[in-house]
Amino acid sequence: MKRMHTGLTLIELMIVVLIISILLAVAVPNYVRARTKSQTTVCLRNLAKLDMAKEHWAMANKASEGTPVTMGDLVSDFLKAEPVCPAGGDYDPRPVGAEPTCSIGGEHSLP
């Protein structure tokens, strides 16, 4: 007599779960690393835009080095909107002549 085999045995199910676990163990760290790298890249681009907007503001207002700049000064005329750090940091435009900073620091700063 032929026996009809339907469904999965416990061993087959355990093998499937093991394979999925291995794939997740490889994929999740790579995903986290890629997300962190993309957040850092976007933050650096935002800082560069802030720096350029600050330079334009200084030239337009004939401001000397060390003149304080607020985010409102830059957003009103030189940026479409206030940039947001994707990692949750806050931007400080700093005075004319100094590079803008992100509160996260580390890789989130202009070279």
Side-chain angles (χ1 to χ4, degrees):
M1 286 188 151
K2 287 186 175 179
R3 185 174 169 205
M4 296 293 288
H5 181 67
T6 58
L8 296 173
T9 65
L10 182 59
I11 297 295
E12 291 170 334
L13 185 61
M14 288 174 56
I15 290 172
V16 168
V17 169
L18 177 68
I19 291 170
I20 291 172
S21 302
I22 291 171
L23 291 173
L24 284 175
V26 171
V28 169
N30 288 333
Y31 170 74
V32 170
R33 194 176 313 115
R35 188 182 76 185
T36 302
K37 185 176 180 177
S38 67
Q39 288 176 341
T40 301
T41 302
V42 170
C43 184
L44 290 174
R45 288 184 182 166
N46 286 343
L47 288 171
K49 287 178 186 177
L50 275 173
D51 197 34
M52 288 296 272
K54 187 168 58 171
E55 288 179 16
H56 284 93
W57 179 87
M59 286 189 289
N61 292 295
K62 297 180 176 82
S64 61
E65 197 164 310
T67 304
V69 179
T70 65
M71 193 65 78
D73 294 334
L74 302 177
V75 172
S76 62
D77 296 324
F78 302 97
L79 295 171
K80 290 182 181 178
E82 184 173 338
V84 177
C85 178
D90 294 318
Y91 293 125
D92 179 11
R94 300 194 54 208
V96 174
E99 293 180 341
T101 59
C102 179
S103 63
I104 293 179
E107 292 183 350
H108 288 244
S109 59
L110 290 173

